[in-house]
Amino acid sequence: MKEKQLYYGTGIANIVIVVITGILLYKNNLAVFIIKDSYIDNYLHRTLFSHLAEQILAVSSSFAFWCFVIAIVLTVISMILRNCRNYLGAYRFLFAGVVTNILTFLVFMLTNMILGNCRIESGIWALAIATVLLITGGLVIYLGTPELIKGRKKLWDILIAVGILAVCSCIIMIPTLQNVKEDFKYAKELRSVISSQPDSIEEETEVQIGNYYTGLSVYAENKIYYMDGVDSYNIKTVDKDGNAEEFWGIKDETLNRGIFYEGGYLYVSVGGLNEAKNQLLRISLESGTEEIIYESNSYFLFGVADNKVFFTTPKDENGLCEVRYFDLTAENLGESSVLYDKDVDYYNLSHNIFVSRYLYNDSSEVMKSVSWLLSYDEIIIYEGNAYRMTARNGWKESTDLEMIHYHNSQYVETLIDNEVMCHSIYDDKLYYVKVKDDTAYEVICCDLQGNNKTTIGTITKEKETYCRYLAVGEGFVMLKMSGNGEEEYASHAFYMKLEDGSSAQLY
């Protein structure tokens, strides 16, 4: 009697598990699948990877439903046969029903993890169901030991299990792949391109990451080279002793955002005023002469890292572009480029995102919370943290400087300081300019967590003038001032030493 009760109890339990699994599959998240691809790569490729994962989850769920129905039918048949005293037949069907349930669950999970390139982020229900399934499977094996069926061929159990695995795979995995084969093939192709990119942080970019994010200055050969501002016409310099001069200028074109240094050359892009022509120039620091290494009929983003010049190609009719690079160690620079990334959404790119993903190789979790903000100037991603200035109405207003970091699966915002005009990071230190009583600007240095704040120096704030940006070099900083003076547009700069806070106006 106990064996009979245990048998029917096991059969009913298997049916209940199937029903619960089906409900969780359609009404609740049986398991939360998260793509293994980085958020920023998914973002730049129009969420192709997450969209594919969602498709696979939807399709595989539909086909898994029919496998669960088969598991119920097999279990019901086994109970009918048991009631008719066909013990061996009943056991075979119950064994098949339980194995179908287990393998349907397993194949469904693997389909999403393998085809969807996912990991399980939250799967408490999946873990609970897997545990119950294993217990049920153990009971079935135990039920197969009574004297009446001890003579069974265990090879049949193996053949049944293997056959059911093949059937479940054919019902779930193969149709799912067939439904998403084009997107799957496309995603596989993109992943192949991305996988060839280095996954380590670019250390040379890391040193003056703040200058690169600003895109208006760079520290090179003991000098800060800087533009007067976006759409400026010249590049000026200042060294650690405060010696300033104009280095290079143009007349009929403007400098676009972005200035980089590598091996004795500055790299900048210029845009024509009267025609759709943009050029990437290499300027010799020794002679001041320039050469064109890339030309485009539309605006492009660019940067220099790891002895390579990276740049975007013009967007196609679908708004997609490529990221390519010139190897600076190759002969005939500019004649041939190498593909680095493809089918990138041109409209999701900005200077900040380009610097972070393609020059710095950053794909940290913090990107998820601030990717939509990266199109603005006032954010720096560094060592998994985001340093951002909160929204303000134009450059003339000061605002809060915050650090956002990812901790215990949550984003935590930490206030570093208020009344801040601009900020930068250089050599693992955070620098920022703070308004003091609306009469002066303080240049402050602290660690990356906002601790150990030290006021380097103070500059008197002129009427209706604001600090546009901060450039940092080895042992000194440069503050670019802009604003409306009493009589004419004010534009000047200050130099300040880090060791003693002494400062001087450059022009």
Side-chain angles (χ1 to χ4, degrees):
M1 181 60 68
K2 289 184 179 180
E3 188 275 332
K4 184 177 181 180
Q5 292 173 345
L6 185 60
Y7 184 94
Y8 283 113
T10 304
I12 293 171
N14 192 55
I15 295 173
V16 171
I17 293 170
V18 171
V19 173
I20 292 175
T21 304
I23 292 173
L24 291 174
L25 198 62
Y26 287 95
K27 299 297 183 181
N28 303 93
N29 289 326
L30 177 63
V32 178
F33 295 101
I34 304 296
I35 57 173
K36 295 179 183 177
D37 309 275
S38 71
Y39 180 86
I40 193 64
D41 285 330
N42 188 47
Y43 176 78
L44 289 175
H45 295 91
R46 292 186 173 176
T47 65
L48 167 69
F49 304 127
S50 60
H51 178 66
L52 174 61
E54 290 169 2
Q55 280 185 290
I56 291 172
L57 177 60
V59 176
S60 63
S61 297
S62 297
F63 287 108
F65 169 80
W66 293 109
C67 288
F68 285 133
V69 170
I70 293 173
I72 292 177
V73 171
L74 291 171
T75 304
V76 171
I77 292 174
S78 77
M79 295 171 72
I80 294 173
L81 291 176
R82 176 65 177 77
N83 192 51
C84 296
R85 300 182 181 277
N86 185 350
Y87 298 110
L88 184 58
Y91 169 75
R92 292 293 186 212
F93 275 92
L94 180 60
F95 179 80
V98 172
V99 170
T100 299
N101 197 5
I102 294 173
L103 293 182
T104 296
F105 182 78
L106 178 63
V107 172
F108 167 76
M109 300 296 285
L110 290 178
T111 298
N112 285 275
M113 294 171 69
I114 296 174
L115 297 185
N117 194 39
C118 292
R119 57 184 172 83
I120 300 176
E121 177 73 7
S122 175
I124 187 64
W125 281 112
L127 180 61
I129 289 173
T131 302
V132 174
L133 286 174
L134 289 175
I135 294 173
T136 308
L139 286 174
V140 172
I141 294 174
Y142 171 76
L143 290 173
T145 60
E147 292 295 329
L148 288 172
I149 55 175
K150 271 190 175 179
R152 77 186 191 278
K153 301 288 187 181
K154 292 187 178 180
L155 177 61
W156 277 102
D157 290 350
I158 297 174
L159 292 176
I160 290 173
V162 171
I164 291 173
L165 176 61
V167 170
C168 288
S169 299
C170 290
I171 294 178
I172 300 174
M173 185 172 286
I174 294 177
T176 299
L177 181 59
Q178 189 66 23
N179 273 268
V180 300
K181 63 179 181 180
E182 294 302 324
D183 285 346
F184 180 79
K185 181 180 178 181
Y186 182 37
K188 185 178 179 181
E189 184 180 342
L190 285 180
R191 286 185 180 120
S192 177
V193 174
I194 294 171
S195 66
S196 64
Q197 301 171 7
D199 54 7
S200 59
I201 296 298
E202 177 58 44
E203 294 183 358
E204 291 187 7
T205 302
E206 190 175 55
V207 173
Q208 55 176 321
I209 191 72
N211 291 336
Y212 285 150
Y213 263 94
T214 303
L216 301 174
S217 63
V218 68
Y219 178 68
E221 298 186 8
N222 301 317
K223 293 181 180 180
I224 291 177
Y225 291 79
Y226 65 96
M227 306 179 196
D228 276 345
V230 178
D231 297 331
S232 63
Y233 297 88
N234 52 36
I235 296 175
K236 298 180 179 181
T237 70
V238 57
D239 64 19
K240 60 181 180 179
D241 297 318
N243 301 312
E245 61 181 355
E246 184 169 321
F247 168 69
W248 181 85
I250 51 177
K251 293 182 180 180
D252 299 326
E253 297 170 308
T254 61
L255 286 164
N256 297 322
R257 188 178 174 193
I259 176 171
F260 299 89
Y261 168 79
E262 183 71 38
Y265 294 91
L266 289 185
Y267 293 84
V268 299
S269 70
V270 298
L273 294 176
N274 300 317
E275 55 181 314
K277 181 179 68 175
N278 286 264
Q279 298 173 330
L280 178 58
L281 304 182
R282 181 169 77 164
I283 307 170
S284 170
L285 292 192
E286 183 178 358
S287 63
T289 58
E290 74 275 358
E291 61 177 313
I292 301 171
I293 60 175
Y294 175 67
E295 198 165 23
S296 174
N297 59 3
S298 62
Y299 178 80
F300 59 87
L301 297 163
F302 82 101
V304 179
D306 191 30
N307 282 315
K308 298 179 179 68
V309 178
F310 298 88
F311 62 95
T312 59
T313 60
K315 65 180 182 295
D316 61 17
E317 63 276 7
N318 297 315
L320 301 176
C321 67
E322 293 180 343
V323 176
R324 307 186 71 89
Y325 70 84
F326 295 121
D327 190 338
L328 293 177
T329 62
E331 296 181 2
N332 303 320
L333 177 62
E335 290 190 1
S336 61
S337 60
V338 179
L339 178 67
Y340 193 75
D341 201 355
K342 62 180 291 186
D343 294 344
V344 176
D345 190 343
Y346 180 87
Y347 300 105
N348 279 347
L349 270 177
S350 67
H351 174 81
N352 285 341
I353 291 178
F354 191 88
V355 168
S356 185
R357 182 64 190 95
Y358 297 115
L359 305 187
Y360 187 39
N361 298 330
D362 193 333
S363 56
S364 59
E365 281 288 335
V366 75
M367 286 286 190
K368 189 172 183 179
S369 69
V370 297
S371 58
W372 66 277
L373 292 169
L374 282 172
S375 59
Y376 299 93
D377 296 342
E378 302 174 294
I379 189 166
I380 300 173
I381 304 293
Y382 183 65
E383 291 193 346
N385 298 324
Y387 300 84
R388 68 160 184 169
M389 295 174 64
T390 55
R392 55 179 174 170
N393 185 21
W395 290 99
K396 297 181 182 181
E397 293 184 359
S398 59
T399 187
D400 294 339
L401 175 60
E402 296 178 338
M403 179 186 73
I404 303 175
H405 63 285
Y406 191 71
H407 180 68
N408 291 335
S409 302
Q410 292 184 338
Y411 294 99
V412 181
E413 296 181 0
T414 302
L415 176 66
I416 292 178
D417 212 334
N418 49 30
E419 300 297 323
V420 176
M421 289 296 299
C422 55
H423 68 298
S424 186
I425 293 177
Y426 185 90
D427 197 18
D428 285 335
K429 291 183 179 179
L430 176 63
Y431 297 85
Y432 61 93
V433 177
K434 178 182 173 71
V435 180
K436 182 181 180 181
D437 300 326
D438 202 34
T439 60
Y441 290 119
E442 289 183 324
V443 178
I444 298 174
C445 175
C446 63
D447 63 27
L448 296 176
Q449 306 304 314
N451 302 318
N452 303 317
K453 294 183 178 68
T454 301
T455 299
I456 297 170
T458 303
I459 295 174
T460 301
K461 182 180 183 299
E462 297 183 9
K463 185 179 180 181
E464 297 183 12
T465 302
Y466 59 95
C467 185
R468 176 66 174 81
Y469 70 90
L470 172 69
V472 186
E474 193 66 39
F476 66 108
V477 299
M478 188 280 301
L479 284 71
K480 179 65 179 65
M481 303 295 185
S482 298
N484 295 318
E486 292 183 354
E487 297 180 356
E488 58 183 9
Y489 186 80
S491 179
H492 53 277
F494 281 89
Y495 151 88
M496 180 180 290
K497 283 188 177 182
L498 296 181
E499 60 180 5
D500 58 11
S502 59
S503 62
Q505 184 171 336
L506 299 180
Y507 61 90

